[in-house]
């Protein structure tokens, strides 16, 4: 539950400016679309513990916890750095000289010889421990290599990612020692390929509603699996499947049978596993996508992955753990297309000058550079946090996935624009990248769902904070100091005054102005979050127009802080590029804070509330009419 | 990534600071040949050698990842490194060959930065060993080596006795890509360190570089209408 039952006296309500009607009525949250978000949020919240170290969680409370963001993480020791430096050249060389993305795209599969070389190269077991036959990379090392793949061929990237980033990741994360020993060595060499099987025809974002069924066999030694999964990457190639199925289980509390999801390791060799033909797609054509059918598949009980009935958590942990990889890969993709755009702009002459001398092109190239800089910074901040042992990165990971997928789309689109007609031609290769990129805003959690997740997760924590304040209100004398502090803080914020929150000491002095901008925005954001909670209470779950704007602000805010951190480090270390990075950072912060303040203003304004209502009405009318409602201007 | 080649402001050479260095492509082919011979069990052990500053250990590791058994890093840095040329390197190789009791020395036919094409030949001369240069095919036959050489007129096949020096040409083989598991295994292989002095080699250069310049920018051409015009122009600028 978002906000628990609390009773408030009118006087105390006034002090905290809460409307007395807000008293936390217990209501079942019916919206199916938010069910999973909530389930995930609560499963994550349980891990958060008392004081979260996550910057994102704290910013929703208008607080700054710099521990995970300043200084920019540098987590590799000398040996890991040296090892990674040796890995980069052969991998780059392979993708530059051997892999043929255009060929893979037109064949709609990764060339056999390329697959063989990738397997020999060890590319299929990058994060499997060395003693089980893998390369044993940390998240940061993995990110660096995945960046190379993203730069050259996203179709290959998804083939590799579907296998190791999600396909067998569950075994790595929650597998038993016996399961790891049995399956990981062959997965490491690519002798067997893996696939992640969650989505069904009627269950996409609503993952908790899956219908594939696992029933215990009479002998008690197997589960019998029945069902069908769709859009499974590597579905036609895999030997090992991580399958999510529902199981009827006795709920101890209610004494009733309830369907809970369990994760299973399923081998094609168990029998009863078949797959459909490769789907014809807009992009990532080289990656195999197919339907997978399970017909009375006997799965030994030893193959349950994680806890019985804990499958949903396993699914979310897997997706969460792999998300940083997407930001890393896409930062590589952007680097590649930016190089092409720059090459064109620096050489193409029109109206007597090189086109990069024109403001319209300059703005495009600058925005492209900034978006790439932010994405790259997010990717390595998150991988660094994960490598340092943080368990509290789920909001940041979701933010990075949303940001990276949208930034990459925008950057590639602008690259085509800069290149003009050439960009549209198959030969340049950019249109392929554009087609490959479209799916990144959809799979692994649609950006729309992830926005809800970011906002609701943040609200939940902020709400708990409010709840603890409300508890303190019950004993105001005992908590006088806390309450006085909190009320002063609120009064100051609402008056637009600073509360002493600062990033001085974290941010490099040359960036202090941008640091102050970030602090100002965090303060306003904290106020907005609280206002929304107070206004809507539990119903915030249903206010998706609000949630989207809150999420967008959170994304922009995290982006600001991430580049402040990276640019500060470059300045402190005296990098040759430090001044350039300073400009990237300052420019980003100026524009991001404008966007955030607009969202903050909109969420307070009554005309925006009217706009939301109007949009709801327009949507209802269009749905009822099965399409556009207004009759043709010509009357027919 | 493409780095622009820049001449130093004092015209003493080319800027190498901060430029990513990698194994000379012909030497890659040489390493590949050596590893293949070992895989065919025709030779016992492959030692990868490089002379230069600390960064060369990266290149030695690449060779180890390709399959060499161990490495030797002969440390040369600063002024000695700037002045180092084929003569000094071949002296080092000759000393090492004797020390290690090598049966074969295989190197690239030339380095693509200075294009000297001398080290292999000088090494053979210093050791008084036979040489098979510009090899496009190498076959070991007992104590002898059959070498097919690429020469201007075509191909020449020779048979030489071991110990011998071979230099690799482009078509000898296609070097393998280092795989990540092999890079991992290479970390356990040893690289020995030594200095030229340890081998009794003096690094003094007999060559002095007077000046390095960029190629002159190409001048625009001129079109002419007739052959007479052409002849007149050529006379006018002193060409004929």
């Amino acid at each position: 539950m978002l906000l628990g039952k609390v009773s408030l006296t009118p006087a105390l309500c006034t002090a905290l400016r809460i409307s007395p009607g807000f008293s936390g009525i217990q209501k079942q949250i019916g919206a199916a679309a938010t069910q999973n978000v909530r389930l995930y949020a609560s499963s994550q919240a349980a891990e958060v513990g008392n004081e979260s170290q996550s910057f994102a969680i704290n910013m929703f409370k208008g607080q700054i916890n710099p521990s995970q963001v300043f200084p920019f993480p540098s987590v590799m020791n000398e040996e890991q750095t040296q090892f990674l430096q040796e890995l980069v050249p052969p991998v780059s060389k392979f993708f530059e000289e051997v892999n043929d993305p255009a060929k893979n795209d037109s064949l709609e599969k990764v060339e056999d010889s390329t697959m063989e070389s990738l397997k020999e190269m060890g590319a299929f077991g990058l994060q499997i421990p060395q003693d089980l036959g893998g390369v044993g990379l940390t998240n940061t090392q993995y990110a660096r290599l995945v960046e190379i793949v993203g730069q050259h061929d996203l179709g290959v990237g998804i083939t590799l990612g579907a296998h190791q980033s999600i396909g067998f990741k569950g075994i790595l994360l929650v597998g038993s020692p016996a399961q790891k020993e049995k399956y990981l060595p062959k997965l490491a060499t690519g002798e067997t390929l893996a696939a992640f099987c969650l989505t069904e025809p009627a269950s996409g974002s609503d993952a908790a509603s899956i219908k594939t069924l696992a029933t215990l066999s009479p002998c008690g030694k197997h589960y019998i699996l029945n069902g069908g999964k769709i859009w499974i990457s590597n579905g036609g190639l895999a030997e090992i499947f991580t399958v999510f199925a529902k199981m009827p289980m006795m709920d101890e509390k209610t004494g009733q049978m309830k369907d809970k999801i369990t994760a299973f390791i399923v081998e094609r060799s168990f029998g009863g596993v078949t797959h459909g033909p490769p789907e014809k797609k807009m992009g990532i054509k080289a990656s195999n996508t197919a339907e997978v059918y399970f017909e009375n598949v006997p799965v030994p009980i030893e193959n349950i992955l994680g806890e019985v009935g804990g499958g949903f958590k396993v699914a979310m942990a897997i997706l969460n753990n792999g998300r940083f990889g997407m930001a890393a890969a896409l930062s590589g993709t952007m680097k590649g297309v930016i190089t092409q755009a720059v090459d064109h702009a620096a050489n193409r002459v029109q109206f007597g000058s090189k086109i990069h001398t024109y403001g319209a092109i300059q703005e495009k190239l600058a925005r492209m550079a900034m978006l790439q800089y932010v994405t790259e910074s997010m990717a390595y901040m998150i991988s660094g946090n994960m490598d340092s042992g943080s368990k509290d990165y789920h909001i940041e990971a979701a933010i990075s996935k949303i940001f990276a997928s949208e930034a990459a789309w925008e950057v590639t689109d602008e690259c085509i624009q800069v290149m003009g007609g050439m960009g549209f031609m198959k030969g340049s290769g950019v249109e392929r990248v554009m087609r490959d990129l479209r799916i990144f805003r959809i799979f692994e959690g649609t950006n729309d769902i992830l926005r809800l997740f970011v906002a609701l997760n943040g609200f939940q924590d902020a709400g708990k904070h409010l709840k603890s304040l409300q508890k303190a209100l019950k004993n105001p004398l005992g908590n006088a100091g806390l309450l006085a502090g909190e009320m002063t803080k609120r009064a100051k914020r609402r008056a637009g005054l600073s509360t002493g929150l600062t990033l001085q000491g974290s941010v490099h002095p040359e960036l202090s102005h941008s640091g102050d901008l970030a602090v100002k925005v965090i303060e306003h954001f904290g106020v907005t979050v609280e206002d929304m909670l107070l206004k809507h209470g539990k119903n915030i779950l249903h206010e998706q127009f609000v949630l989207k704007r809150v999420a967008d602000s959170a994304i922009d805010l995290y982006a600001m802080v991430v580049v402040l951190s990276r640019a500060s480090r470059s300045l402190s270390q005296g990098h040759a590029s430090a001044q350039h990075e300073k400009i990237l950072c300052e420019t980003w912060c100026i524009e991001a804070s404008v966007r955030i303040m607009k969202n903050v203003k909109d969420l307070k304004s009554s005309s925006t509330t009217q706009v939301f209502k109007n949009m709801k009405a327009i949507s209802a009318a269009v749905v009822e009419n099965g399409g556009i409602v207004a009759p043709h201007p010509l009357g027919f | 990534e493409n780095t622009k080649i820049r001449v130093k402001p004092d015209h003493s050479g080319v800027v190498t600071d901060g430029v990513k260095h990698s194994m000379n492509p012909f030497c890659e082919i040489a390493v590949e040949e050596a590893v293949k011979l070992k895989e065919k069990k025709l030779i016992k052990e492959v030692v990868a050698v490089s002379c230069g500053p600390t960064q060369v250990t990266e290149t030695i590791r690449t060779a180890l990842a390709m399959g060499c058994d161990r490495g030797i890093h002969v440390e040369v840095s600063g002024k000695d490194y700037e002045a180092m040329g084929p003569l000094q390197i071949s002296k080092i190789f000759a000393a090492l060959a004797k020390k290690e009791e090598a049966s074969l020395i295989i190197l690239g036919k030339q380095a693509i930065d200075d294009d000297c094409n001398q080290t292999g030949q000088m090494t053979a001369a210093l050791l008084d060993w036979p040489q098979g240069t510009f090899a496009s095919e190498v076959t070991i036959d007992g104590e002898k080596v059959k070498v097919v050489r690429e020469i201007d007129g075509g191909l020449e096949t020779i048979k030489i006795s071991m110990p011998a020096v071979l230099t690799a040409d482009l078509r000898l083989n296609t070097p393998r890509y280092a795989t990540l598991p092999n890079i991992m295994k290479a970390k356990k292989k040893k690289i020995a360190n030594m200095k030229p002095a340890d081998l009794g080699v003096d690094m003094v250069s007999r060559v002095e570089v007077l000046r390095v310049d960029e190629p002159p920018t190409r001048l625009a051409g001129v079109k002419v209408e007739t052959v007479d015009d052409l002849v007149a122009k050529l006379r006018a600028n002193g060409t004929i």
Side-chain angles (χ1 to χ4, degrees), chain A residues 424-443:
Chain A
F424 195 69
M425 297 301 138
K426 209 163 175 185
S428 306
V430 195
E431 63 80 33
R432 191 204 77 241
V433 176
M434 195 87 207
R435 287 187 288 107
D436 286 345
L437 282 172
R438 188 58 188 84
I439 192 64
F440 283 76
R441 288 155 52 192
I442 299 174
F443 66 11

Side-chain angles (χ1 to χ4, degrees), chain A residues 79 82-83 85-87 89-91 93-94 96-98 117 120-123 126 130 133-137 145, chain B residues 1 20-23 25 28 57-58 61-62 65-66 175-188:
Chain A
E79 202 219 311
Q82 195 190 62
F83 183 41
Q85 282 176 326
E86 290 175 37
L87 300 180
V91 174
K93 197 167 166 196
F94 178 80
E96 279 157 27
E97 296 176 11
V98 177
S117 300
E120 271 165 30
M121 181 164 289
L126 295 173
Q130 287 183 9
V135 189
L137 297 182
L145 294 189
Chain B
E1 275 185 67
K20 181 92 179 56
H21 286 58
S22 55
M23 194 187 295
E28 259 179 32
T57 44
E58 277 174 43
R61 284 202 192 285
T62 309
M66 284 171 74
R176 65 197 62 196
Y177 287 90
T179 67
L180 308 189
N182 283 346
I183 295 177
M184 267 158 52
K185 287 196 203 119
K187 287 203 285 187
K188 301 195 185 95

Side-chain angles (χ1 to χ4, degrees), chain A residues 332-473:
Chain A
T333 311
M334 284 187 264
K335 226 186 225 181
V337 303
I338 290 173
T339 304
Q340 273 188 268
V342 164
D343 184 54
H344 181 84
N347 290 303
R348 174 75 170 170
V349 174
Q350 287 287 270
F351 309 112
S353 305
K354 301 254 163 82
I355 64 172
H356 76 86
T357 61
Y358 299 120
I361 298 292
Q362 288 164 350
E363 183 168 351
K364 290 182 201 298
L365 294 180
R367 287 199 187 288
M368 288 156 78
M370 282 195 289
L371 288 169
Q372 195 278 341
Y373 186 69
V374 172
T375 306
E376 200 178 62
S377 307
M378 281 190 187
Y380 289 97
M381 173 159 294
I382 295 169
S383 71
N385 289 154
M386 289 168 76
D387 283 339
S388 303
S390 161
K391 301 263 180 272
D392 213 359
Y393 56 84
H394 46 287
I395 294 192
E396 288 86 347
I399 288 178
S400 75
K401 190 269 189 188
I402 298 167
F403 190 89
S405 54
E406 290 175 10
W409 178 258
E410 209 181 301
V411 166
T412 307
D413 189 38
E414 284 288 65
C415 170
I416 294 179
Q417 193 68 16
V418 166
M419 290 173 72
M422 277 313 291
F424 195 69
M425 297 301 138
K426 209 163 175 185
S428 306
V430 195
E431 63 80 33
R432 191 204 77 241
V433 176
M434 195 87 207
R435 287 187 288 107
D436 286 345
L437 282 172
R438 188 58 188 84
I439 192 64
F440 283 76
R441 288 155 52 192
I442 299 174
F443 66 11
E444 291 220 10
T446 67
N447 288 10
D448 312 278
I449 289 292
L450 288 178
R451 279 184 161 86
L452 299 180
F453 167 70
V454 166
L456 286 173
N457 222 296
F459 273 124
Q460 176 163 55
D461 205 80
K464 271 204 279 191
H465 181 67
L466 255 187
K467 192 168 116 190
S468 66
L469 280 183
Q470 288 159 359
K471 256 201 192 129
L473 269 176

Side-chain angles (χ1 to χ4, degrees), chain A residues 91-352:
Chain A
V91 174
S92 301
K93 197 167 166 196
F94 178 80
F95 278 96
E96 279 157 27
E97 296 176 11
V98 177
N99 183 57
D100 187 347
K103 193 74 185 285
N104 294 340
D105 182 64
S106 71
L107 282 175
E108 300 198 16
K109 82 182 264 224
V110 179
E111 287 185 282
D112 289 336
S113 54
T114 304
M115 275 298 261
E116 272 319 298
S117 300
L118 283 168
K119 289 179 185 176
E120 271 165 30
M121 181 164 289
F124 282 85
L126 295 173
Q127 289 198 280
I128 292 181
Q130 287 183 9
D131 60 5
L132 284 170
V135 189
L137 297 182
T138 62
N139 294 305
T140 302
Q141 293 170 320
Y142 178 78
R144 183 61 185 87
L145 294 189
V146 145
E147 195 189 299
I148 301 172
V149 185
Q151 187 173 344
H152 291 99
D153 193 334
L154 285 169
V156 169
I158 293 305
T159 303
L160 292 172
H163 168 78
Q164 59 195 311
S165 207
I166 53 175
F168 66 72
K169 187 59 89 61
I171 303 178
L172 262 182
L173 291 178
V174 300
S176 68
Q179 288 169 337
K180 287 181 178 170
E181 290 242 8
K182 181 170 185 193
Y183 291 109
L184 292 180
K186 285 200 185 151
L187 289 165
T189 60
E191 189 182 329
T192 51
L193 292 182
F196 180 84
C197 297
L198 178 62
T199 305
E200 295 175 8
S203 308
S205 293
D206 191 4
S209 70
I210 54 173
K211 294 190 175 53
T212 299
L213 189 62
T215 45
L216 193 57
S217 67
C219 68
K221 297 218 183 96
H222 293 95
Y223 278 94
I224 307 299
L225 216 57
N226 273 290
K229 300 287 184 183
I230 58 167
W231 298 334
I232 304 304
S233 297
N234 291 348
L237 311 173
E239 181 54 46
I240 308 295
F241 300 84
T242 301
V243 185
F244 298 88
K246 68 174 185 189
M247 269 164 54
M249 287 175 65
M250 176 73 72
D251 186 336
E252 280 145 22
K253 288 189 213 133
T254 64
Q256 295 202 313
M257 289 305 267
K258 218 181 157 200
D259 278 337
K260 294 212 98 183
I261 298 176
T262 301
F264 296 89
I265 304 172
V266 179
E267 293 179 40
R268 194 184 280 269
S269 61
F270 289 160
V273 181
T274 52
H275 66 266
E279 302 283 359
K280 296 236 160 243
K281 306 188 292 288
M282 171 178 171
I284 53 162
K285 293 191 181 189
S287 159
N288 171 275
T289 314
E291 297 186 1
V292 183
Y293 316 105
F294 302 95
E295 203 181 341
N296 296 322
V297 181
V299 182
I301 54 176
E302 299 80 47
N303 277 34
I304 290 186
L305 192 53
E307 284 170 30
V308 178
F312 190 81
K313 262 195 197 170
V314 171
M316 294 302 114
I318 293 171
L319 290 176
N320 192 35
N321 189 274
R323 256 181 206 136
F324 74 96
M326 195 181 280
L330 295 179
S331 73
T333 311
M334 284 187 264
K335 226 186 225 181
V337 303
I338 290 173
T339 304
Q340 273 188 268
V342 164
D343 184 54
H344 181 84
N347 290 303
R348 174 75 170 170
V349 174
Q350 287 287 270
F351 309 112

Side-chain angles (χ1 to χ4, degrees), chain A residues 36 80 139 147 239 296 311 399 461 525 530 539 585 596:
Chain A
N36 300 339
Q80 289 168 327
N139 294 305
E147 195 189 299
E239 181 54 46
N296 296 322
I399 288 178
D461 205 80
F525 182 66
E530 210 172 80
N539 285 325
C585 173
I596 296 168

